Amino acid sequence: MIDYSKHTVLIVDDEIEILKSLNRGLHSEPYDKIFVSSGAQAIDAIKKDQNISVILTDMRMPGMNGLELLKLVDQINPKIVKIVLTGYTQLPQILATVNSVDIFKFMTKPWDLEIELKSTLKAAIEEYQ
């Protein structure tokens, strides 16, 4: 049996309203959650918190896009399970991401919180374990 409370999910999106929505929707989930609005903040969080098991990131963000972020995450800690949540569904970007880093799941916005997102995050923690 997995103790989800020992795991942390890092959620990255430059849209503050998306972060707020995810915070509200996931507040009762048993794992810890860190919400950041940029790739740079995500890298800082990973360097500070060794308990991060899963990263859920948007693909299109200013400064550092999701692909760049996930490549850096892979260098810092390749064990972190990577999930992409994006409204950007152009095939070349998807293929570049999938071919560059090990992606656990690629999800599109809008997401189904109860059926898709919560179960995917728990499955990702199980994969990490």
Side-chain angles (χ1 to χ4, degrees), residues 97-124:
T97 303
V98 170
N99 290 332
S100 297
V101 292
D102 184 24
I103 303 295
F104 179 73
K105 182 128 183 183
F106 203 104
M107 301 173 62
T108 57
K109 295 176 185 175
W111 63 88
D112 183 304
L113 182 71
E114 295 300 323
I115 295 173
E116 189 176 21
L117 188 59
K118 286 182 179 181
S119 62
T120 297
L121 290 174
K122 285 184 176 170

mmCIF file with all atom_site columns, all heavy atoms in Angstrom, residues 97-124:
data_model
loop_
_atom_site.group_PDB
_atom_site.id
_atom_site.type_symbol
_atom_site.label_atom_id
_atom_site.label_alt_id
_atom_site.label_comp_id
_atom_site.label_asym_id
_atom_site.label_entity_id
_atom_site.label_seq_id
_atom_site.pdbx_PDB_ins_code
_atom_site.Cartn_x
_atom_site.Cartn_y
_atom_site.Cartn_z
_atom_site.occupancy
_atom_site.B_iso_or_equiv
_atom_site.pdbx_formal_charge
_atom_site.auth_seq_id
_atom_site.auth_comp_id
_atom_site.auth_asym_id
_atom_site.auth_atom_id
_atom_site.pdbx_PDB_model_num
ATOM 1   N N   . THR A 1 97  ? 8.694   16.567 -27.433 1.00 0.00 ? 97  THR A N   1
ATOM 2   C CA  . THR A 1 97  ? 8.676   16.317 -25.993 1.00 0.00 ? 97  THR A CA  1
ATOM 3   C C   . THR A 1 97  ? 8.783   14.830 -25.700 1.00 0.00 ? 97  THR A C   1
ATOM 4   O O   . THR A 1 97  ? 9.614   14.391 -24.907 1.00 0.00 ? 97  THR A O   1
ATOM 5   C CB  . THR A 1 97  ? 7.391   16.888 -25.368 1.00 0.00 ? 97  THR A CB  1
ATOM 6   O OG1 . THR A 1 97  ? 7.315   18.277 -25.668 1.00 0.00 ? 97  THR A OG1 1
ATOM 7   C CG2 . THR A 1 97  ? 7.376   16.689 -23.860 1.00 0.00 ? 97  THR A CG2 1
ATOM 8   N N   . VAL A 1 98  ? 7.938   14.056 -26.343 1.00 0.00 ? 98  VAL A N   1
ATOM 9   C CA  . VAL A 1 98  ? 7.916   12.617 -26.095 1.00 0.00 ? 98  VAL A CA  1
ATOM 10  C C   . VAL A 1 98  ? 9.246   11.971 -26.464 1.00 0.00 ? 98  VAL A C   1
ATOM 11  O O   . VAL A 1 98  ? 9.731   11.071 -25.767 1.00 0.00 ? 98  VAL A O   1
ATOM 12  C CB  . VAL A 1 98  ? 6.742   11.959 -26.858 1.00 0.00 ? 98  VAL A CB  1
ATOM 13  C CG1 . VAL A 1 98  ? 6.824   10.445 -26.819 1.00 0.00 ? 98  VAL A CG1 1
ATOM 14  C CG2 . VAL A 1 98  ? 5.412   12.439 -26.280 1.00 0.00 ? 98  VAL A CG2 1
ATOM 15  N N   . ASN A 1 99  ? 9.870   12.440 -27.514 1.00 0.00 ? 99  ASN A N   1
ATOM 16  C CA  . ASN A 1 99  ? 11.135  11.864 -27.959 1.00 0.00 ? 99  ASN A CA  1
ATOM 17  C C   . ASN A 1 99  ? 12.339  12.351 -27.155 1.00 0.00 ? 99  ASN A C   1
ATOM 18  O O   . ASN A 1 99  ? 13.400  11.760 -27.224 1.00 0.00 ? 99  ASN A O   1
ATOM 19  C CB  . ASN A 1 99  ? 11.362  12.144 -29.451 1.00 0.00 ? 99  ASN A CB  1
ATOM 20  C CG  . ASN A 1 99  ? 10.407  11.351 -30.320 1.00 0.00 ? 99  ASN A CG  1
ATOM 21  O OD1 . ASN A 1 99  ? 9.956   10.278 -29.951 1.00 0.00 ? 99  ASN A OD1 1
ATOM 22  N ND2 . ASN A 1 99  ? 10.085  11.887 -31.474 1.00 0.00 ? 99  ASN A ND2 1
ATOM 23  N N   . SER A 1 100 ? 12.185  13.436 -26.407 1.00 0.00 ? 100 SER A N   1
ATOM 24  C CA  . SER A 1 100 ? 13.307  14.008 -25.668 1.00 0.00 ? 100 SER A CA  1
ATOM 25  C C   . SER A 1 100 ? 13.388  13.547 -24.217 1.00 0.00 ? 100 SER A C   1
ATOM 26  O O   . SER A 1 100 ? 14.467  13.424 -23.667 1.00 0.00 ? 100 SER A O   1
ATOM 27  C CB  . SER A 1 100 ? 13.215  15.537 -25.673 1.00 0.00 ? 100 SER A CB  1
ATOM 28  O OG  . SER A 1 100 ? 13.325  16.020 -26.978 1.00 0.00 ? 100 SER A OG  1
ATOM 29  N N   . VAL A 1 101 ? 12.254  13.358 -23.596 1.00 0.00 ? 101 VAL A N   1
ATOM 30  C CA  . VAL A 1 101 ? 12.233  12.948 -22.187 1.00 0.00 ? 101 VAL A CA  1
ATOM 31  C C   . VAL A 1 101 ? 11.153  11.880 -22.002 1.00 0.00 ? 101 VAL A C   1
ATOM 32  O O   . VAL A 1 101 ? 10.242  11.755 -22.811 1.00 0.00 ? 101 VAL A O   1
ATOM 33  C CB  . VAL A 1 101 ? 11.957  14.145 -21.232 1.00 0.00 ? 101 VAL A CB  1
ATOM 34  C CG1 . VAL A 1 101 ? 13.112  15.107 -21.217 1.00 0.00 ? 101 VAL A CG1 1
ATOM 35  C CG2 . VAL A 1 101 ? 10.682  14.863 -21.575 1.00 0.00 ? 101 VAL A CG2 1
ATOM 36  N N   . ASP A 1 102 ? 11.274  11.150 -20.932 1.00 0.00 ? 102 ASP A N   1
ATOM 37  C CA  . ASP A 1 102 ? 10.332  10.081 -20.627 1.00 0.00 ? 102 ASP A CA  1
ATOM 38  C C   . ASP A 1 102 ? 9.070   10.695 -20.011 1.00 0.00 ? 102 ASP A C   1
ATOM 39  O O   . ASP A 1 102 ? 9.077   11.088 -18.850 1.00 0.00 ? 102 ASP A O   1
ATOM 40  C CB  . ASP A 1 102 ? 10.993  9.100  -19.664 1.00 0.00 ? 102 ASP A CB  1
ATOM 41  C CG  . ASP A 1 102 ? 10.119  7.908  -19.362 1.00 0.00 ? 102 ASP A CG  1
ATOM 42  O OD1 . ASP A 1 102 ? 9.245   7.581  -20.180 1.00 0.00 ? 102 ASP A OD1 1
ATOM 43  O OD2 . ASP A 1 102 ? 10.326  7.298  -18.294 1.00 0.00 ? 102 ASP A OD2 1
ATOM 44  N N   . ILE A 1 103 ? 8.006   10.778 -20.805 1.00 0.00 ? 103 ILE A N   1
ATOM 45  C CA  . ILE A 1 103 ? 6.748   11.363 -20.349 1.00 0.00 ? 103 ILE A CA  1
ATOM 46  C C   . ILE A 1 103 ? 5.825   10.244 -19.894 1.00 0.00 ? 103 ILE A C   1
ATOM 47  O O   . ILE A 1 103 ? 5.568   9.304  -20.648 1.00 0.00 ? 103 ILE A O   1
ATOM 48  C CB  . ILE A 1 103 ? 6.049   12.173 -21.472 1.00 0.00 ? 103 ILE A CB  1
ATOM 49  C CG1 . ILE A 1 103 ? 6.960   13.262 -22.010 1.00 0.00 ? 103 ILE A CG1 1
ATOM 50  C CG2 . ILE A 1 103 ? 4.723   12.747 -20.991 1.00 0.00 ? 103 ILE A CG2 1
ATOM 51  C CD1 . ILE A 1 103 ? 7.315   14.341 -21.042 1.00 0.00 ? 103 ILE A CD1 1
ATOM 52  N N   . PHE A 1 104 ? 5.300   10.349 -18.676 1.00 0.00 ? 104 PHE A N   1
ATOM 53  C CA  . PHE A 1 104 ? 4.364   9.358  -18.156 1.00 0.00 ? 104 PHE A CA  1
ATOM 54  C C   . PHE A 1 104 ? 3.007   9.500  -18.834 1.00 0.00 ? 104 PHE A C   1
ATOM 55  O O   . PHE A 1 104 ? 2.388   8.522  -19.217 1.00 0.00 ? 104 PHE A O   1
ATOM 56  C CB  . PHE A 1 104 ? 4.231   9.519  -16.637 1.00 0.00 ? 104 PHE A CB  1
ATOM 57  C CG  . PHE A 1 104 ? 3.267   8.569  -16.003 1.00 0.00 ? 104 PHE A CG  1
ATOM 58  C CD1 . PHE A 1 104 ? 3.593   7.227  -15.864 1.00 0.00 ? 104 PHE A CD1 1
ATOM 59  C CD2 . PHE A 1 104 ? 2.039   9.004  -15.537 1.00 0.00 ? 104 PHE A CD2 1
ATOM 60  C CE1 . PHE A 1 104 ? 2.699   6.339  -15.276 1.00 0.00 ? 104 PHE A CE1 1
ATOM 61  C CE2 . PHE A 1 104 ? 1.146   8.129  -14.946 1.00 0.00 ? 104 PHE A CE2 1
ATOM 62  C CZ  . PHE A 1 104 ? 1.481   6.788  -14.809 1.00 0.00 ? 104 PHE A CZ  1
ATOM 63  N N   . LYS A 1 105 ? 2.559   10.752 -18.982 1.00 0.00 ? 105 LYS A N   1
ATOM 64  C CA  . LYS A 1 105 ? 1.256   10.986 -19.611 1.00 0.00 ? 105 LYS A CA  1
ATOM 65  C C   . LYS A 1 105 ? 1.232   12.385 -20.204 1.00 0.00 ? 105 LYS A C   1
ATOM 66  O O   . LYS A 1 105 ? 1.791   13.312 -19.654 1.00 0.00 ? 105 LYS A O   1
ATOM 67  C CB  . LYS A 1 105 ? 0.134   10.843 -18.579 1.00 0.00 ? 105 LYS A CB  1
ATOM 68  C CG  . LYS A 1 105 ? -1.250  11.012 -19.160 1.00 0.00 ? 105 LYS A CG  1
ATOM 69  C CD  . LYS A 1 105 ? -2.148  9.890  -18.806 1.00 0.00 ? 105 LYS A CD  1
ATOM 70  C CE  . LYS A 1 105 ? -3.479  10.118 -19.490 1.00 0.00 ? 105 LYS A CE  1
ATOM 71  N NZ  . LYS A 1 105 ? -4.460  9.150  -19.192 1.00 0.00 ? 105 LYS A NZ  1
ATOM 72  N N   . PHE A 1 106 ? 0.552   12.507 -21.326 1.00 0.00 ? 106 PHE A N   1
ATOM 73  C CA  . PHE A 1 106 ? 0.341   13.783 -22.000 1.00 0.00 ? 106 PHE A CA  1
ATOM 74  C C   . PHE A 1 106 ? -1.148  14.052 -21.949 1.00 0.00 ? 106 PHE A C   1
ATOM 75  O O   . PHE A 1 106 ? -1.931  13.309 -22.528 1.00 0.00 ? 106 PHE A O   1
ATOM 76  C CB  . PHE A 1 106 ? 0.836   13.681 -23.450 1.00 0.00 ? 106 PHE A CB  1
ATOM 77  C CG  . PHE A 1 106 ? 1.182   14.995 -24.064 1.00 0.00 ? 106 PHE A CG  1
ATOM 78  C CD1 . PHE A 1 106 ? 2.501   15.372 -24.226 1.00 0.00 ? 106 PHE A CD1 1
ATOM 79  C CD2 . PHE A 1 106 ? 0.187   15.871 -24.488 1.00 0.00 ? 106 PHE A CD2 1
ATOM 80  C CE1 . PHE A 1 106 ? 2.835   16.581 -24.794 1.00 0.00 ? 106 PHE A CE1 1
ATOM 81  C CE2 . PHE A 1 106 ? 0.510   17.086 -25.053 1.00 0.00 ? 106 PHE A CE2 1
ATOM 82  C CZ  . PHE A 1 106 ? 1.837   17.434 -25.201 1.00 0.00 ? 106 PHE A CZ  1
ATOM 83  N N   . MET A 1 107 ? -1.569  15.102 -21.231 1.00 0.00 ? 107 MET A N   1
ATOM 84  C CA  . MET A 1 107 ? -2.987  15.410 -21.046 1.00 0.00 ? 107 MET A CA  1
ATOM 85  C C   . MET A 1 107 ? -3.300  16.764 -21.663 1.00 0.00 ? 107 MET A C   1
ATOM 86  O O   . MET A 1 107 ? -2.475  17.672 -21.627 1.00 0.00 ? 107 MET A O   1
ATOM 87  C CB  . MET A 1 107 ? -3.324  15.432 -19.551 1.00 0.00 ? 107 MET A CB  1
ATOM 88  C CG  . MET A 1 107 ? -3.033  14.123 -18.853 1.00 0.00 ? 107 MET A CG  1
ATOM 89  S SD  . MET A 1 107 ? -3.229  14.226 -17.064 1.00 0.00 ? 107 MET A SD  1
ATOM 90  C CE  . MET A 1 107 ? -4.950  14.622 -16.939 1.00 0.00 ? 107 MET A CE  1
ATOM 91  N N   . THR A 1 108 ? -4.504  16.901 -22.191 1.00 0.00 ? 108 THR A N   1
ATOM 92  C CA  . THR A 1 108 ? -4.897  18.172 -22.792 1.00 0.00 ? 108 THR A CA  1
ATOM 93  C C   . THR A 1 108 ? -5.883  18.920 -21.902 1.00 0.00 ? 108 THR A C   1
ATOM 94  O O   . THR A 1 108 ? -6.636  18.315 -21.144 1.00 0.00 ? 108 THR A O   1
ATOM 95  C CB  . THR A 1 108 ? -5.529  17.955 -24.187 1.00 0.00 ? 108 THR A CB  1
ATOM 96  O OG1 . THR A 1 108 ? -6.641  17.087 -24.061 1.00 0.00 ? 108 THR A OG1 1
ATOM 97  C CG2 . THR A 1 108 ? -4.518  17.375 -25.157 1.00 0.00 ? 108 THR A CG2 1
ATOM 98  N N   . LYS A 1 109 ? -5.833  20.237 -22.013 1.00 0.00 ? 109 LYS A N   1
ATOM 99  C CA  . LYS A 1 109 ? -6.807  21.105 -21.349 1.00 0.00 ? 109 LYS A CA  1
ATOM 100 C C   . LYS A 1 109 ? -8.016  21.209 -22.273 1.00 0.00 ? 109 LYS A C   1
ATOM 101 O O   . LYS A 1 109 ? -7.840  21.244 -23.482 1.00 0.00 ? 109 LYS A O   1
ATOM 102 C CB  . LYS A 1 109 ? -6.225  22.502 -21.132 1.00 0.00 ? 109 LYS A CB  1
ATOM 103 C CG  . LYS A 1 109 ? -5.061  22.564 -20.188 1.00 0.00 ? 109 LYS A CG  1
ATOM 104 C CD  . LYS A 1 109 ? -4.516  23.986 -20.131 1.00 0.00 ? 109 LYS A CD  1
ATOM 105 C CE  . LYS A 1 109 ? -3.278  24.099 -19.288 1.00 0.00 ? 109 LYS A CE  1
ATOM 106 N NZ  . LYS A 1 109 ? -2.696  25.442 -19.333 1.00 0.00 ? 109 LYS A NZ  1
ATOM 107 N N   . PRO A 1 110 ? -9.200  21.293 -21.777 1.00 0.00 ? 110 PRO A N   1
ATOM 108 C CA  . PRO A 1 110 ? -9.547  21.163 -20.352 1.00 0.00 ? 110 PRO A CA  1
ATOM 109 C C   . PRO A 1 110 ? -9.457  19.709 -19.908 1.00 0.00 ? 110 PRO A C   1
ATOM 110 O O   . PRO A 1 110 ? -9.592  18.796 -20.703 1.00 0.00 ? 110 PRO A O   1
ATOM 111 C CB  . PRO A 1 110 ? -10.987 21.662 -20.304 1.00 0.00 ? 110 PRO A CB  1
ATOM 112 C CG  . PRO A 1 110 ? -11.543 21.379 -21.657 1.00 0.00 ? 110 PRO A CG  1
ATOM 113 C CD  . PRO A 1 110 ? -10.389 21.506 -22.610 1.00 0.00 ? 110 PRO A CD  1
ATOM 114 N N   . TRP A 1 111 ? -9.229  19.525 -18.639 1.00 0.00 ? 111 TRP A N   1
ATOM 115 C CA  . TRP A 1 111 ? -9.066  18.191 -18.087 1.00 0.00 ? 111 TRP A CA  1
ATOM 116 C C   . TRP A 1 111 ? -10.295 17.829 -17.268 1.00 0.00 ? 111 TRP A C   1
ATOM 117 O O   . TRP A 1 111 ? -11.047 18.688 -16.825 1.00 0.00 ? 111 TRP A O   1
ATOM 118 C CB  . TRP A 1 111 ? -7.827  18.127 -17.213 1.00 0.00 ? 111 TRP A CB  1
ATOM 119 C CG  . TRP A 1 111 ? -7.941  19.042 -16.026 1.00 0.00 ? 111 TRP A CG  1
ATOM 120 C CD1 . TRP A 1 111 ? -8.482  18.740 -14.818 1.00 0.00 ? 111 TRP A CD1 1
ATOM 121 C CD2 . TRP A 1 111 ? -7.555  20.418 -15.955 1.00 0.00 ? 111 TRP A CD2 1
ATOM 122 N NE1 . TRP A 1 111 ? -8.448  19.846 -13.997 1.00 0.00 ? 111 TRP A NE1 1
ATOM 123 C CE2 . TRP A 1 111 ? -7.889  20.897 -14.671 1.00 0.00 ? 111 TRP A CE2 1
ATOM 124 C CE3 . TRP A 1 111 ? -6.955  21.304 -16.857 1.00 0.00 ? 111 TRP A CE3 1
ATOM 125 C CZ2 . TRP A 1 111 ? -7.642  22.193 -14.259 1.00 0.00 ? 111 TRP A CZ2 1
ATOM 126 C CZ3 . TRP A 1 111 ? -6.717  22.605 -16.441 1.00 0.00 ? 111 TRP A CZ3 1
ATOM 127 C CH2 . TRP A 1 111 ? -7.049  23.033 -15.159 1.00 0.00 ? 111 TRP A CH2 1
ATOM 128 N N   . ASP A 1 112 ? -10.484 16.546 -17.056 1.00 0.00 ? 112 ASP A N   1
ATOM 129 C CA  . ASP A 1 112 ? -11.525 16.055 -16.160 1.00 0.00 ? 112 ASP A CA  1
ATOM 130 C C   . ASP A 1 112 ? -10.853 15.775 -14.826 1.00 0.00 ? 112 ASP A C   1
ATOM 131 O O   . ASP A 1 112 ? -10.066 14.829 -14.718 1.00 0.00 ? 112 ASP A O   1
ATOM 132 C CB  . ASP A 1 112 ? -12.178 14.789 -16.727 1.00 0.00 ? 112 ASP A CB  1
ATOM 133 C CG  . ASP A 1 112 ? -13.308 14.299 -15.844 1.00 0.00 ? 112 ASP A CG  1
ATOM 134 O OD1 . ASP A 1 112 ? -13.064 14.064 -14.644 1.00 0.00 ? 112 ASP A OD1 1
ATOM 135 O OD2 . ASP A 1 112 ? -14.436 14.175 -16.356 1.00 0.00 ? 112 ASP A OD2 1
ATOM 136 N N   . LEU A 1 113 ? -11.141 16.592 -13.841 1.00 0.00 ? 113 LEU A N   1
ATOM 137 C CA  . LEU A 1 113 ? -10.450 16.519 -12.552 1.00 0.00 ? 113 LEU A CA  1
ATOM 138 C C   . LEU A 1 113 ? -10.649 15.168 -11.882 1.00 0.00 ? 113 LEU A C   1
ATOM 139 O O   . LEU A 1 113 ? -9.680  14.518 -11.497 1.00 0.00 ? 113 LEU A O   1
ATOM 140 C CB  . LEU A 1 113 ? -10.921 17.649 -11.629 1.00 0.00 ? 113 LEU A CB  1
ATOM 141 C CG  . LEU A 1 113 ? -10.227 17.710 -10.275 1.00 0.00 ? 113 LEU A CG  1
ATOM 142 C CD1 . LEU A 1 113 ? -8.798  18.177 -10.430 1.00 0.00 ? 113 LEU A CD1 1
ATOM 143 C CD2 . LEU A 1 113 ? -10.979 18.609 -9.333  1.00 0.00 ? 113 LEU A CD2 1
ATOM 144 N N   . GLU A 1 114 ? -11.890 14.756 -11.731 1.00 0.00 ? 114 GLU A N   1
ATOM 145 C CA  . GLU A 1 114 ? -12.170 13.539 -10.972 1.00 0.00 ? 114 GLU A CA  1
ATOM 146 C C   . GLU A 1 114 ? -11.737 12.278 -11.703 1.00 0.00 ? 114 GLU A C   1
ATOM 147 O O   . GLU A 1 114 ? -11.113 11.400 -11.136 1.00 0.00 ? 114 GLU A O   1
ATOM 148 C CB  . GLU A 1 114 ? -13.669 13.456 -10.633 1.00 0.00 ? 114 GLU A CB  1
ATOM 149 C CG  . GLU A 1 114 ? -14.146 14.554 -9.703  1.00 0.00 ? 114 GLU A CG  1
ATOM 150 C CD  . GLU A 1 114 ? -13.435 14.551 -8.346  1.00 0.00 ? 114 GLU A CD  1
ATOM 151 O OE1 . GLU A 1 114 ? -13.132 13.456 -7.820  1.00 0.00 ? 114 GLU A OE1 1
ATOM 152 O OE2 . GLU A 1 114 ? -13.190 15.633 -7.808  1.00 0.00 ? 114 GLU A OE2 1
ATOM 153 N N   . ILE A 1 115 ? -12.090 12.171 -12.963 1.00 0.00 ? 115 ILE A N   1
ATOM 154 C CA  . ILE A 1 115 ? -11.849 10.932 -13.696 1.00 0.00 ? 115 ILE A CA  1
ATOM 155 C C   . ILE A 1 115 ? -10.409 10.830 -14.187 1.00 0.00 ? 115 ILE A C   1
ATOM 156 O O   . ILE A 1 115 ? -9.780  9.787  -14.069 1.00 0.00 ? 115 ILE A O   1
ATOM 157 C CB  . ILE A 1 115 ? -12.828 10.808 -14.892 1.00 0.00 ? 115 ILE A CB  1
ATOM 158 C CG1 . ILE A 1 115 ? -14.253 10.671 -14.364 1.00 0.00 ? 115 ILE A CG1 1
ATOM 159 C CG2 . ILE A 1 115 ? -12.462 9.643  -15.786 1.00 0.00 ? 115 ILE A CG2 1
ATOM 160 C CD1 . ILE A 1 115 ? -15.315 10.720 -15.422 1.00 0.00 ? 115 ILE A CD1 1
ATOM 161 N N   . GLU A 1 116 ? -9.876  11.908 -14.724 1.00 0.00 ? 116 GLU A N   1
ATOM 162 C CA  . GLU A 1 116 ? -8.574  11.827 -15.379 1.00 0.00 ? 116 GLU A CA  1
ATOM 163 C C   . GLU A 1 116 ? -7.420  12.330 -14.514 1.00 0.00 ? 116 GLU A C   1
ATOM 164 O O   . GLU A 1 116 ? -6.451  11.607 -14.286 1.00 0.00 ? 116 GLU A O   1
ATOM 165 C CB  . GLU A 1 116 ? -8.617  12.610 -16.695 1.00 0.00 ? 116 GLU A CB  1
ATOM 166 C CG  . GLU A 1 116 ? -7.394  12.403 -17.538 1.00 0.00 ? 116 GLU A CG  1
ATOM 167 C CD  . GLU A 1 116 ? -7.501  13.113 -18.876 1.00 0.00 ? 116 GLU A CD  1
ATOM 168 O OE1 . GLU A 1 116 ? -8.306  14.054 -19.012 1.00 0.00 ? 116 GLU A OE1 1
ATOM 169 O OE2 . GLU A 1 116 ? -6.746  12.726 -19.770 1.00 0.00 ? 116 GLU A OE2 1
ATOM 170 N N   . LEU A 1 117 ? -7.497  13.556 -14.041 1.00 0.00 ? 117 LEU A N   1
ATOM 171 C CA  . LEU A 1 117 ? -6.338  14.174 -13.394 1.00 0.00 ? 117 LEU A CA  1
ATOM 172 C C   . LEU A 1 117 ? -5.975  13.527 -12.060 1.00 0.00 ? 117 LEU A C   1
ATOM 173 O O   . LEU A 1 117 ? -4.828  13.152 -11.835 1.00 0.00 ? 117 LEU A O   1
ATOM 174 C CB  . LEU A 1 117 ? -6.545  15.677 -13.227 1.00 0.00 ? 117 LEU A CB  1
ATOM 175 C CG  . LEU A 1 117 ? -5.320  16.441 -12.740 1.00 0.00 ? 117 LEU A CG  1
ATOM 176 C CD1 . LEU A 1 117 ? -4.145  16.271 -13.699 1.00 0.00 ? 117 LEU A CD1 1
ATOM 177 C CD2 . LEU A 1 117 ? -5.637  17.905 -12.561 1.00 0.00 ? 117 LEU A CD2 1
ATOM 178 N N   . LYS A 1 118 ? -6.936  13.379 -11.172 1.00 0.00 ? 118 LYS A N   1
ATOM 179 C CA  . LYS A 1 118 ? -6.624  12.795 -9.860  1.00 0.00 ? 118 LYS A CA  1
ATOM 180 C C   . LYS A 1 118 ? -6.092  11.375 -9.991  1.00 0.00 ? 118 LYS A C   1
ATOM 181 O O   . LYS A 1 118 ? -5.120  11.008 -9.332  1.00 0.00 ? 118 LYS A O   1
ATOM 182 C CB  . LYS A 1 118 ? -7.863  12.819 -8.957  1.00 0.00 ? 118 LYS A CB  1
ATOM 183 C CG  . LYS A 1 118 ? -8.205  14.199 -8.438  1.00 0.00 ? 118 LYS A CG  1
ATOM 184 C CD  . LYS A 1 118 ? -9.397  14.154 -7.511  1.00 0.00 ? 118 LYS A CD  1
ATOM 185 C CE  . LYS A 1 118 ? -9.727  15.520 -6.960  1.00 0.00 ? 118 LYS A CE  1
ATOM 186 N NZ  . LYS A 1 118 ? -10.878 15.481 -6.034  1.00 0.00 ? 118 LYS A NZ  1
ATOM 187 N N   . SER A 1 119 ? -6.716  10.586 -10.839 1.00 0.00 ? 119 SER A N   1
ATOM 188 C CA  . SER A 1 119 ? -6.255  9.199  -10.999 1.00 0.00 ? 119 SER A CA  1
ATOM 189 C C   . SER A 1 119 ? -4.881  9.149  -11.652 1.00 0.00 ? 119 SER A C   1
ATOM 190 O O   . SER A 1 119 ? -4.049  8.300  -11.305 1.00 0.00 ? 119 SER A O   1
ATOM 191 C CB  . SER A 1 119 ? -7.272  8.375  -11.785 1.00 0.00 ? 119 SER A CB  1
ATOM 192 O OG  . SER A 1 119 ? -7.428  8.887  -13.085 1.00 0.00 ? 119 SER A OG  1
ATOM 193 N N   . THR A 1 120 ? -4.611  10.057 -12.585 1.00 0.00 ? 120 THR A N   1
ATOM 194 C CA  . THR A 1 120 ? -3.302  10.099 -13.235 1.00 0.00 ? 120 THR A CA  1
ATOM 195 C C   . THR A 1 120 ? -2.211  10.478 -12.240 1.00 0.00 ? 120 THR A C   1
ATOM 196 O O   . THR A 1 120 ? -1.122  9.893  -12.249 1.00 0.00 ? 120 THR A O   1
ATOM 197 C CB  . THR A 1 120 ? -3.310  11.076 -14.426 1.00 0.00 ? 120 THR A CB  1
ATOM 198 O OG1 . THR A 1 120 ? -4.236  10.588 -15.403 1.00 0.00 ? 120 THR A OG1 1
ATOM 199 C CG2 . THR A 1 120 ? -1.936  11.222 -15.051 1.00 0.00 ? 120 THR A CG2 1
ATOM 200 N N   . LEU A 1 121 ? -2.489  11.441 -11.377 1.00 0.00 ? 121 LEU A N   1
ATOM 201 C CA  . LEU A 1 121 ? -1.482  11.846 -10.389 1.00 0.00 ? 121 LEU A CA  1
ATOM 202 C C   . LEU A 1 121 ? -1.180  10.709 -9.413  1.00 0.00 ? 121 LEU A C   1
ATOM 203 O O   . LEU A 1 121 ? -0.025  10.458 -9.079  1.00 0.00 ? 121 LEU A O   1
ATOM 204 C CB  . LEU A 1 121 ? -1.929  13.106 -9.651  1.00 0.00 ? 121 LEU A CB  1
ATOM 205 C CG  . LEU A 1 121 ? -1.922  14.381 -10.504 1.00 0.00 ? 121 LEU A CG  1
ATOM 206 C CD1 . LEU A 1 121 ? -2.527  15.549 -9.737  1.00 0.00 ? 121 LEU A CD1 1
ATOM 207 C CD2 . LEU A 1 121 ? -0.522  14.720 -10.979 1.00 0.00 ? 121 LEU A CD2 1
ATOM 208 N N   . LYS A 1 122 ? -2.204  9.993  -8.984  1.00 0.00 ? 122 LYS A N   1
ATOM 209 C CA  . LYS A 1 122 ? -1.970  8.856  -8.090  1.00 0.00 ? 122 LYS A CA  1
ATOM 210 C C   . LYS A 1 122 ? -1.211  7.737  -8.806  1.00 0.00 ? 122 LYS A C   1
ATOM 211 O O   . LYS A 1 122 ? -0.298  7.133  -8.247  1.00 0.00 ? 122 LYS A O   1
ATOM 212 C CB  . LYS A 1 122 ? -3.282  8.344  -7.507  1.00 0.00 ? 122 LYS A CB  1
ATOM 213 C CG  . LYS A 1 122 ? -3.811  9.262  -6.426  1.00 0.00 ? 122 LYS A CG  1
ATOM 214 C CD  . LYS A 1 122 ? -5.064  8.717  -5.783  1.00 0.00 ? 122 LYS A CD  1
ATOM 215 C CE  . LYS A 1 122 ? -5.500  9.633  -4.650  1.00 0.00 ? 122 LYS A CE  1
ATOM 216 N NZ  . LYS A 1 122 ? -6.832  9.298  -4.145  1.00 0.00 ? 122 LYS A NZ  1
ATOM 217 N N   . ALA A 1 123 ? -1.558  7.501  -10.058 1.00 0.00 ? 123 ALA A N   1
ATOM 218 C CA  . ALA A 1 123 ? -0.832  6.483  -10.849 1.00 0.00 ? 123 ALA A CA  1
ATOM 219 C C   . ALA A 1 123 ? 0.627   6.879  -11.036 1.00 0.00 ? 123 ALA A C   1
ATOM 220 O O   . ALA A 1 123 ? 1.521   6.032  -11.022 1.00 0.00 ? 123 ALA A O   1
ATOM 221 C CB  . ALA A 1 123 ? -1.526  6.273  -12.192 1.00 0.00 ? 123 ALA A CB  1
ATOM 222 N N   . ALA A 1 124 ? 0.881   8.175  -11.222 1.00 0.00 ? 124 ALA A N   1
ATOM 223 C CA  . ALA A 1 124 ? 2.255   8.661  -11.379 1.00 0.00 ? 124 ALA A CA  1
ATOM 224 C C   . ALA A 1 124 ? 3.045   8.460  -10.082 1.00 0.00 ? 124 ALA A C   1
ATOM 225 O O   . ALA A 1 124 ? 4.221   8.082  -10.126 1.00 0.00 ? 124 ALA A O   1
ATOM 226 C CB  . ALA A 1 124 ? 2.239   10.131 -11.791 1.00 0.00 ? 124 ALA A CB  1
#
